[in-house]
């Protein structure tokens, strides 16, 4: 699970009441896409929020978090997040600290967890690399949550299908 910043143009006043909420910490106007994928780079979950939302906030307001809290995810599955997320029974996050300070067990855990997290990083890299429309700020009215979420969702679905076909 991780967040992807999708750059956009500055929203117009008639598109949102909270223009400033689309200002991202990476000095651009954006929408954040929080997504999760499996080891085959197939996306299974995504949600979009205004660009000022960080991964932690995005997770806290996502529909997936309450599902984990209610233990609705099959017990044999786990979600892997980075240090922006809070560790839980089925949400695995790294130990804070760095190599040399952490115990060998914790350092090894962080290493293998980082290795597994590479899936979402690779999935995002393939998504952006494949779809040139994401290489520069989107110049369309994407600030209606439903239409933007549908747009990003369709790209993720297409990429998931392509991952299954090894495209």
């Amino acid at each position: 699970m991780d967040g992807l910043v999708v750059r956009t143009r500055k929203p117009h006043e008639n598109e949102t009441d909270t223009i400033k909420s689309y200002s991202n910490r990476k000095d651009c106007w954006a929408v954040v896409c929080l997504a999760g994928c499996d080891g085959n780079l197939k996306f299974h979950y995504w949600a979009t929020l205004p660009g000022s939302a960080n991964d932690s906030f995005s997770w806290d307001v996502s529909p997936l978090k309450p599902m984990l809290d209610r233990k609705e995810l099959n017990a044999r599955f786990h979600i892997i997040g980075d240090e922006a997320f809070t560790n839980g029974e089925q949400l695995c996050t790294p130990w804070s600290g760095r190599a040399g300070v952490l115990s060998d067990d914790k350092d090894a855990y962080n290493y293998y967890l980082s290795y597994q997290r590479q899936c979402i990083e690779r999935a995002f890299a393939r998504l952006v690399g494949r779809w040139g429309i994401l290489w520069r700020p989107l110049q369309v009215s994407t600030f209606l949550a439903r239409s933007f979420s549908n747009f990003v969702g369709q790209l993720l679905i297409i990429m998931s299908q392509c991952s299954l076909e090894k495209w």
Side-chain angles (χ1 to χ4, degrees), residues 81 132 152 157:
V152 172
I157 289 168

Side-chain angles (χ1 to χ4, degrees), residues 38-162:
D38 63 19
N40 295 319
L41 311 184
K42 179 180 179 187
F43 290 100
H44 290 277
Y45 172 80
W46 60 87
T48 57
L49 290 114
S52 64
N54 60 32
D55 288 352
S56 179
F57 176 79
S58 299
W59 172 250
D60 285 342
V61 299
S62 77
L64 187 57
K65 185 179 186 296
M67 289 177 58
L68 278 186
D69 293 343
R70 292 189 303 265
K71 301 180 194 266
E72 294 176 1
L73 183 65
N74 188 314
R76 66 186 189 156
F77 297 114
H78 292 80
I79 295 173
I80 299 172
D82 59 19
E83 54 279 341
F85 299 90
T86 304
N87 200 40
E89 284 185 43
Q90 288 183 279
L91 177 58
C92 304
T93 61
W95 289 96
S96 60
R98 61 184 196 281
V101 176
L102 293 172
S103 69
D104 289 344
D105 290 346
K106 290 179 180 179
D107 190 44
Y109 172 83
N110 281 359
Y111 173 80
Y112 289 108
L113 193 69
S114 174
Y115 182 77
Q116 296 300 315
R117 274 198 75 260
Q118 291 176 13
C119 291
I120 190 64
E121 300 294 343
R122 287 189 352 252
F124 280 151
R126 286 184 63 192
L127 175 74
V128 174
R130 176 67 59 184
W131 300 104
I133 193 170
L134 299 176
W135 297 352
R136 56 195 166 278
L138 295 174
Q139 297 298 316
V140 295
S141 179
T142 57
F143 297 96
L144 299 172
R146 178 187 283 166
S147 64
F148 188 81
S149 186
N150 288 342
F151 170 74
V152 172
Q154 291 303 314
L155 290 179
L156 295 176
I157 289 168
I158 292 168
M159 281 306 297
S160 293
Q161 187 61 39
C162 294

